[in-house]
């Protein structure tokens, strides 16, 4: 049955089911309970599970995250919302210095199972401080997992996996995906995903494009255009950015011999560089070409023509691929 | 001194009556500006999101009226009133909202992030508490520069639960910084009533740190102005940070997507009866003998001004990446 599931509904349902399944799960954040979230991703949870499990907090990111950590090491499994990923720097200490280190420092006495949900991404004309991708800020924090789904089915299965995971997980929801509706059973409709597994979402022989979240859709759209030119893209949805599923990308590259890593974020120091390095280390012999497409090293502009030009969207992908290998693929 | 542009002189007036009419006019400019933004948003000309200041105009206009060229203002994402109060040109501000090259930040910033150094607006801060820390630092600079400048931070009551608030108030108090913290209490942080997430009394917080604190009627521009005049004078005189809580209400949703269903029944109507423009009109008549006709004349002039501004904004060019010419780093000058 092709029941349609909206991305925001998938988030809500995953939370709803996990709150029902495990009474250690609690969910809190700014405007998430009674109002149901500023992106309308969490309506009804407060009514269904009550004030003790789902509650609104003051505007206090340091307290929200630090308290989530403290509760996690004492037996709760907190899911928190940091409304916009741009606010994560204010939550960073609880994630980076407290939660991500606890398992190691305690000599594995106890894990710190928190999930930090946060909306990220550009393209909505929200300007420089409501559009960023925070992945690179967190990419080199050992002990932290980073997940970023691209479809409603994946959002649900990955959020459920994140809540069941015993480690701190940064769960990133691209703002431009909240209204996306797709088959609830897409990709086999697995109930709980495995964090750290990528997925090939389009097969092709000429070039592997590895990316996540909204960029997966841009890559798929570009692939259709390029197919008309006779260039077949293989699109790998990474789904998890830490740990990276390097074997999946290597397997794809072994077939295509070319890799483009597409990142919605500044080029320098981005996660794309890490993936390129890993694939280079493990499969240099398979690579005829490898490069990254990301944004300039600048903040996200507000003005529509500037933002459109800034982001590596469908047109930019098509142009970059044509320029790079148009002549080489016959 | 007045920081906004010249009043259309109702030539027979002078002194407090003329000044009062000018305060009214500046509040009206903010109101009409916000209405223009709202209308242009609906037409798809303003993008992303906006947070309007409708109902709260007396705050920024009353406070900024007592500032001068030495002073600095830090506003918020609900910052069009703070910007206009500081003296930002409404044309350049509206052009920014429309993402045009002629905008005060060249279209790079948009509604939530406006900066206008030329008018003492060090920024509009999209991060909660950002205005508080920026003004605290501005006050540090002003104190060290020794020319008597004062910094003002605007922020909402919800922000008093943020780490920035607690850290900066203490920091400013310890350093006796010339900063006036203006908490605009409009009762809601986004969709949540402040009493649901705030322990105790907001005014008790700065008081506990020894800051002179006054709670004022934020719908009465004269009341706000009077409190601001006293606070700014004390800060200028080296008496350290000051705190004003201005009780107000926003007549529109938190941001453009908010239908404001959380309001208590009758609350909006109650506050609208105390619309700062209405309050000012009545005061002008009763206390200053300014006739309704004179005020109507101001209304007509501002309406006409906005017709021109909107038309000019819509005709303004968009930036191109080439002309924008963004550079990652500032070329060092020292
Ligand atoms: C650090 C941070 N956390 C959360 C937000 C999202 N946010 C924007 S406005 C707002 C409510 C602020 O309420 P208040 O301080 O009362 O000011 P008001 O909007 O009512 O003027 C919130 C939570 C933000 N911009 N920055």
């Amino acid at each position: 049955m092709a029941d349609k599931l909206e991305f925001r509904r998938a988030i809500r349902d995953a939370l709803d089911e996990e709150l029902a399944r495990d009474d250690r799960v609690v969910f809190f954040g700014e405007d998430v309970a009674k109002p149901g979230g500023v992106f309308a991703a969490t309506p009804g949870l407060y009514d269904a599970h009550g004030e003790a499990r789902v509650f609104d907090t003051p505007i206090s990111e340091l307290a929200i995250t630090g308290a989530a950590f403290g509760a996690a090491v004492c037996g709760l499994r907190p899911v928190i919302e940091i409304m916009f990923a741009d606010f994560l720097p204010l939550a960073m200490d609880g994630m980076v210095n407290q939660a991500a280190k606890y398992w190691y420092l305690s000599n594995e006495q106890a894990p710190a199972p928190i999930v930090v949900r946060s909306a990220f991404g550009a393209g909505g004309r929200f300007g420089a401080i409501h559009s960023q991708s925070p992945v690179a800020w967190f990419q080199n924090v050992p002990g932290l997992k980073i997940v970023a789904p691209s479809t409603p089915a994946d959002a649900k299965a990955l959020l459920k996996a994140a809540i069941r995971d015993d480690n701190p997980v940064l769960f990133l929801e691209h703002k431009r995906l909240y209204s996306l509706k797709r088959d609830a059973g897409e990709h086999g409709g697995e109930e709980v995903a495995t964090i750290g597994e990528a997925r090939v979402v389009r097969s092709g022989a000429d070039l592997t494009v590895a990316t996540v979240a909204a960029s997966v859709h841009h890559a798929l759209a570009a692939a259709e255009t390029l197919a008309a030119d006779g260039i077949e893209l293989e699109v790998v949805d990474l789904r998890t950015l830490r740990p990276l599923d390097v074997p999946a990308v290597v397997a794809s590259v072994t077939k295509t011999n070319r890799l483009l890593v597409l990142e919605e974020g500044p080029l320098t120091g981005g996660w794309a560089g890490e993936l390129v390095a890993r694939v280079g280390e493990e499969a240099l012999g398979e690579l005829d070409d490898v490069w990254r497409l990301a944004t300039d090293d600048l903040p996200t502009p507000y003005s529509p023509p500037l933002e459109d030009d800034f982001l590596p969207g469908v047109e930019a992908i098509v142009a970059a691929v044509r320029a790079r290998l148009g002549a080489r693929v016959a | 001194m007045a920081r906004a542009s010249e009043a259309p002189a109702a030539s027979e007036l002078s002194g407090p009556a003329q000044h009062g009419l000018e305060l009214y006019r500046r509040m009206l400019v903010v109101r009409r500006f916000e209405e223009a933004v709202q209308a242009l948003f609906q037409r798809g000309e303003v993008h992303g999101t906006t947070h309007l200041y409708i109902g709260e105009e007396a705050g920024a206009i009353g406070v900024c009226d007592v500032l001068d060229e030495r002073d600095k203002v830090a506003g918020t994402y609900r910052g069009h009133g703070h910007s206009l109060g500081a003296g930002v040109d409404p044309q350049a501000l509206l052009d920014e909202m429309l993402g045009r090259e002629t905008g005060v930040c060249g279209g790079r910033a948009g509604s939530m992030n406006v900066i206008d150094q030329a008018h003492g607006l060090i920024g509009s801060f999209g991060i909660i508490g950002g205005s508080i820390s920026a003004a605290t630092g501005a006050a540090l600079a002003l104190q060290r520069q020794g020319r008597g400048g004062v910094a003002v931070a605007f922020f909402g009551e919800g922000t008093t639960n943020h780490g920035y608030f607690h850290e900066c108030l203490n920091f400013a108090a310890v350093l006796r910084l010339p900063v006036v913290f203006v908490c605009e209490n409009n009762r809601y942080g986004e969709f949540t009533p402040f009493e649901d997430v705030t322990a105790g009394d907001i005014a008790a917080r700065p008081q506990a740190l020894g800051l002179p604190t006054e709670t004022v009627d934020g719908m009465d521009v004269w009341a706000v102005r009077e409190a601001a005049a006293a606070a700014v004078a004390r800060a200028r005189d080296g008496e350290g940070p000051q705190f004003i809580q201005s009780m107000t209400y926003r007549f529109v949703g938190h941001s453009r997507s908010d239908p404001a269903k959380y309001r208590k029944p009758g609350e909006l109507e109650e506050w609208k009866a105390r619309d700062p423009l209405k309050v000012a009109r009545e005061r002008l008549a009763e206390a200053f003998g300014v006739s309704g006709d004179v005020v109507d004349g101001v209304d007509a002039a501002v309406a006409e001004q906005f017709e021109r501004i909107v038309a000019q904004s819509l005709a303004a060019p968009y930036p191109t990446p080439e002309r924008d010419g963004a550079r990652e780093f500032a070329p060092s000058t020292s």
Side-chain angles (χ1 to χ4, degrees), chain A residues 69-102:
Chain A
F69 154 71
V73 299
C74 294
L76 292 188
R77 302 183 73 87
V79 181
I80 60 174
E81 177 177 303
I82 300 294
M83 191 182 296
F84 282 80
D86 311 72
F87 313 158
L88 283 167
L90 294 159
M92 211 154 180
D93 188 68
M95 298 170 69
V96 174
N97 285 327
Q98 317 302 337
K101 308 247 185 309
Y102 197 79

CSV table of all heavy atoms in Angstrom, one decimal, chain A residues 69-102:
chain,number,residue,atom,x,y,z
A,69,PHE,N,21.9,15.9,29.1
A,69,PHE,CA,23.0,15.0,29.4
A,69,PHE,C,22.9,14.5,30.9
A,69,PHE,O,23.1,13.2,31.1
A,69,PHE,CB,24.3,15.8,29.3
A,69,PHE,CG,25.5,15.3,30.1
A,69,PHE,CD1,26.1,14.1,29.7
A,69,PHE,CD2,25.9,16.0,31.2
A,69,PHE,CE1,27.1,13.6,30.5
A,69,PHE,CE2,26.9,15.5,32.0
A,69,PHE,CZ,27.5,14.3,31.7
A,70,GLY,N,22.7,15.3,31.8
A,70,GLY,CA,22.6,14.9,33.2
A,70,GLY,C,21.6,13.8,33.4
A,70,GLY,O,21.8,12.8,34.1
A,71,ALA,N,20.4,14.0,32.8
A,71,ALA,CA,19.3,13.1,32.9
A,71,ALA,C,19.7,11.8,32.2
A,71,ALA,O,19.3,10.7,32.7
A,71,ALA,CB,18.0,13.7,32.3
A,72,ALA,N,20.4,11.9,31.2
A,72,ALA,CA,20.7,10.7,30.4
A,72,ALA,C,21.7,9.7,31.2
A,72,ALA,O,21.6,8.5,31.1
A,72,ALA,CB,21.4,11.0,29.1
A,73,VAL,N,22.6,10.3,31.9
A,73,VAL,CA,23.5,9.5,32.7
A,73,VAL,C,22.9,9.0,34.0
A,73,VAL,O,23.5,8.3,34.7
A,73,VAL,CB,24.9,10.2,32.9
A,73,VAL,CG1,25.5,10.5,31.6
A,73,VAL,CG2,24.7,11.4,33.8
A,74,CYS,N,21.6,9.4,34.2
A,74,CYS,CA,20.9,8.9,35.4
A,74,CYS,C,19.7,8.1,35.0
A,74,CYS,O,18.7,8.0,35.8
A,74,CYS,CB,20.6,10.1,36.3
A,74,CYS,SG,22.0,10.8,37.0
A,75,GLY,N,19.7,7.6,33.8
A,75,GLY,CA,18.6,6.7,33.4
A,75,GLY,C,17.5,7.1,32.5
A,75,GLY,O,16.7,6.3,32.0
A,76,LEU,N,17.4,8.4,32.2
A,76,LEU,CA,16.4,8.8,31.2
A,76,LEU,C,17.0,8.7,29.8
A,76,LEU,O,18.2,8.6,29.7
A,76,LEU,CB,15.9,10.2,31.5
A,76,LEU,CG,15.0,10.4,32.7
A,76,LEU,CD1,14.4,11.8,32.8
A,76,LEU,CD2,13.9,9.4,32.9
A,77,ARG,N,16.1,8.8,28.8
A,77,ARG,CA,16.6,8.9,27.4
A,77,ARG,C,16.0,10.1,26.8
A,77,ARG,O,15.0,10.0,26.1
A,77,ARG,CB,16.2,7.6,26.7
A,77,ARG,CG,16.8,6.3,27.4
A,77,ARG,CD,16.4,5.1,26.6
A,77,ARG,NE,17.2,4.9,25.4
A,77,ARG,CZ,18.4,4.4,25.3
A,77,ARG,NH1,19.0,3.9,26.4
A,77,ARG,NH2,19.1,4.3,24.2
A,78,PRO,N,16.6,11.3,27.1
A,78,PRO,CA,16.0,12.5,26.6
A,78,PRO,C,16.2,12.7,25.1
A,78,PRO,O,17.3,12.5,24.5
A,78,PRO,CB,16.8,13.6,27.4
A,78,PRO,CG,17.6,12.9,28.4
A,78,PRO,CD,17.8,11.5,27.9
A,79,VAL,N,15.1,13.2,24.5
A,79,VAL,CA,15.2,13.7,23.1
A,79,VAL,C,14.9,15.2,23.3
A,79,VAL,O,13.9,15.6,23.9
A,79,VAL,CB,14.1,13.1,22.2
A,79,VAL,CG1,14.2,13.7,20.8
A,79,VAL,CG2,14.2,11.6,22.2
A,80,ILE,N,15.8,16.1,22.8
A,80,ILE,CA,15.6,17.5,22.9
A,80,ILE,C,15.5,18.1,21.5
A,80,ILE,O,16.0,17.5,20.5
A,80,ILE,CB,16.7,18.2,23.7
A,80,ILE,CG1,18.1,18.0,23.1
A,80,ILE,CG2,16.7,17.7,25.2
A,80,ILE,CD1,19.2,18.8,23.8
A,81,GLU,N,14.9,19.3,21.5
A,81,GLU,CA,14.9,20.0,20.2
A,81,GLU,C,15.7,21.3,20.4
A,81,GLU,O,15.4,22.1,21.3
A,81,GLU,CB,13.5,20.3,19.7
A,81,GLU,CG,13.5,21.1,18.5
A,81,GLU,CD,12.1,21.4,17.9
A,81,GLU,OE1,11.3,20.4,17.6
A,81,GLU,OE2,11.7,22.6,17.7
A,82,ILE,N,16.7,21.5,19.5
A,82,ILE,CA,17.3,22.8,19.4
A,82,ILE,C,16.7,23.3,18.1
A,82,ILE,O,17.1,22.9,17.0
A,82,ILE,CB,18.8,22.7,19.4
A,82,ILE,CG1,19.3,22.1,20.7
A,82,ILE,CG2,19.4,24.1,19.1
A,82,ILE,CD1,19.1,22.9,21.9
A,83,MET,N,15.8,24.3,18.2
A,83,MET,CA,14.9,24.7,17.1
A,83,MET,C,15.6,24.9,15.8
A,83,MET,O,15.2,24.2,14.8
A,83,MET,CB,14.3,26.0,17.5
A,83,MET,CG,13.2,26.5,16.7
A,83,MET,SD,12.6,28.1,17.4
A,83,MET,CE,12.0,27.7,19.0
A,84,PHE,N,16.6,25.7,15.7
A,84,PHE,CA,17.4,25.9,14.5
A,84,PHE,C,18.8,25.4,14.8
A,84,PHE,O,19.4,25.7,15.8
A,84,PHE,CB,17.4,27.4,14.0
A,84,PHE,CG,16.2,27.9,13.3
A,84,PHE,CD1,15.1,28.2,14.1
A,84,PHE,CD2,16.2,28.0,12.0
A,84,PHE,CE1,13.9,28.7,13.4
A,84,PHE,CE2,15.0,28.5,11.3
A,84,PHE,CZ,13.9,28.8,12.1
A,85,ALA,N,19.4,24.7,13.8
A,85,ALA,CA,20.8,24.2,14.0
A,85,ALA,C,21.8,25.4,14.2
A,85,ALA,O,22.8,25.2,14.9
A,85,ALA,CB,21.2,23.4,12.8
A,86,ASP,N,21.4,26.6,13.8
A,86,ASP,CA,22.2,27.7,14.0
A,86,ASP,C,22.4,28.0,15.5
A,86,ASP,O,23.3,28.8,15.9
A,86,ASP,CB,21.6,28.9,13.3
A,86,ASP,CG,21.3,28.6,11.9
A,86,ASP,OD1,20.3,27.9,11.6
A,86,ASP,OD2,22.0,29.1,11.0
A,87,PHE,N,21.5,27.5,16.3
A,87,PHE,CA,21.5,27.7,17.8
A,87,PHE,C,22.4,26.7,18.5
A,87,PHE,O,22.6,26.8,19.7
A,87,PHE,CB,20.1,27.8,18.4
A,87,PHE,CG,19.1,28.6,17.7
A,87,PHE,CD1,17.8,28.4,17.9
A,87,PHE,CD2,19.5,29.7,16.9
A,87,PHE,CE1,16.8,29.2,17.2
A,87,PHE,CE2,18.5,30.4,16.2
A,87,PHE,CZ,17.2,30.2,16.4
A,88,LEU,N,22.8,25.7,17.7
A,88,LEU,CA,23.6,24.6,18.3
A,88,LEU,C,24.9,25.1,19.0
A,88,LEU,O,25.3,24.5,20.0
A,88,LEU,CB,23.9,23.5,17.3
A,88,LEU,CG,22.8,22.6,17.0
A,88,LEU,CD1,23.1,21.8,15.7
A,88,LEU,CD2,22.4,21.7,18.2
A,89,PRO,N,25.5,26.1,18.5
A,89,PRO,CA,26.7,26.6,19.3
A,89,PRO,C,26.4,26.9,20.7
A,89,PRO,O,27.3,26.7,21.6
A,89,PRO,CB,27.2,27.8,18.5
A,89,PRO,CG,26.7,27.6,17.1
A,89,PRO,CD,25.4,26.8,17.2
A,90,LEU,N,25.2,27.3,21.0
A,90,LEU,CA,24.8,27.5,22.4
A,90,LEU,C,24.6,26.2,23.2
A,90,LEU,O,24.6,26.2,24.4
A,90,LEU,CB,23.6,28.4,22.5
A,90,LEU,CG,23.7,29.8,21.9
A,90,LEU,CD1,22.4,30.4,21.5
A,90,LEU,CD2,24.4,30.7,23.0
A,91,ALA,N,24.4,25.2,22.5
A,91,ALA,CA,24.1,23.9,23.1
A,91,ALA,C,25.4,23.0,23.1
A,91,ALA,O,25.4,21.8,23.5
A,91,ALA,CB,23.0,23.2,22.4
A,92,MET,N,26.4,23.5,22.5
A,92,MET,CA,27.6,22.7,22.1
A,92,MET,C,28.3,22.1,23.4
A,92,MET,O,28.7,20.9,23.3
A,92,MET,CB,28.6,23.5,21.4
A,92,MET,CG,29.3,22.8,20.3
A,92,MET,SD,29.8,23.8,19.0
A,92,MET,CE,30.7,22.7,18.0
A,93,ASP,N,28.4,22.8,24.4
A,93,ASP,CA,29.1,22.3,25.6
A,93,ASP,C,28.5,21.0,26.1
A,93,ASP,O,29.2,20.0,26.3
A,93,ASP,CB,29.2,23.3,26.7
A,93,ASP,CG,30.2,22.8,27.7
A,93,ASP,OD1,31.4,22.7,27.4
A,93,ASP,OD2,29.8,22.4,28.8
A,94,GLY,N,27.2,21.0,26.2
A,94,GLY,CA,26.5,19.8,26.7
A,94,GLY,C,26.7,18.6,25.8
A,94,GLY,O,26.9,17.4,26.2
A,95,MET,N,26.8,18.9,24.5
A,95,MET,CA,27.0,17.8,23.5
A,95,MET,C,28.5,17.4,23.5
A,95,MET,O,28.8,16.2,23.5
A,95,MET,CB,26.5,18.3,22.2
A,95,MET,CG,25.0,18.6,22.1
A,95,MET,SD,24.5,19.4,20.6
A,95,MET,CE,24.7,18.1,19.4
A,96,VAL,N,29.3,18.3,23.3
A,96,VAL,CA,30.7,18.1,23.0
A,96,VAL,C,31.5,17.7,24.2
A,96,VAL,O,32.2,16.7,24.2
A,96,VAL,CB,31.4,19.3,22.3
A,96,VAL,CG1,32.9,19.0,22.1
A,96,VAL,CG2,30.7,19.5,20.9
A,97,ASN,N,31.4,18.5,25.2
A,97,ASN,CA,32.3,18.3,26.4
A,97,ASN,C,31.7,17.3,27.5
A,97,ASN,O,32.4,16.7,28.2
A,97,ASN,CB,32.6,19.6,27.1
A,97,ASN,CG,33.6,20.4,26.3
A,97,ASN,OD1,34.5,19.8,25.7
A,97,ASN,ND2,33.5,21.7,26.4
A,98,GLN,N,30.3,17.3,27.5
A,98,GLN,CA,29.7,16.4,28.5
A,98,GLN,C,29.3,15.1,27.9
A,98,GLN,O,29.9,14.0,28.1
A,98,GLN,CB,28.5,17.1,29.1
A,98,GLN,CG,28.7,18.6,29.4
A,98,GLN,CD,29.8,18.9,30.4
A,98,GLN,OE1,30.3,18.0,31.1
A,98,GLN,NE2,30.4,20.1,30.4
A,99,ALA,N,28.2,15.1,27.0
A,99,ALA,CA,27.6,13.8,26.6
A,99,ALA,C,28.6,13.0,25.7
A,99,ALA,O,28.7,11.8,26.0
A,99,ALA,CB,26.4,14.1,25.7
A,100,ALA,N,29.3,13.6,24.8
A,100,ALA,CA,30.1,12.8,23.9
A,100,ALA,C,31.3,12.1,24.6
A,100,ALA,O,31.9,11.2,24.1
A,100,ALA,CB,30.6,13.6,22.7
A,101,LYS,N,31.7,12.7,25.7
A,101,LYS,CA,32.9,12.1,26.4
A,101,LYS,C,32.6,11.1,27.5
A,101,LYS,O,33.5,10.4,28.0
A,101,LYS,CB,33.7,13.3,27.0
A,101,LYS,CG,34.0,14.5,26.0
A,101,LYS,CD,35.4,14.6,25.7
A,101,LYS,CE,35.8,15.8,24.9
A,101,LYS,NZ,35.0,16.0,23.7
A,102,TYR,N,31.4,11.1,27.9
A,102,TYR,CA,31.0,10.4,29.2
A,102,TYR,C,31.3,8.9,29.2
A,102,TYR,O,31.9,8.4,30.1
A,102,TYR,CB,29.6,10.7,29.5
A,102,TYR,CG,29.2,10.4,31.0
A,102,TYR,CD1,29.5,11.3,32.0
A,102,TYR,CD2,28.6,9.2,31.3
A,102,TYR,CE1,29.2,11.0,33.3
A,102,TYR,CE2,28.3,8.9,32.6
A,102,TYR,CZ,28.6,9.9,33.6
A,102,TYR,OH,28.3,9.6,34.9
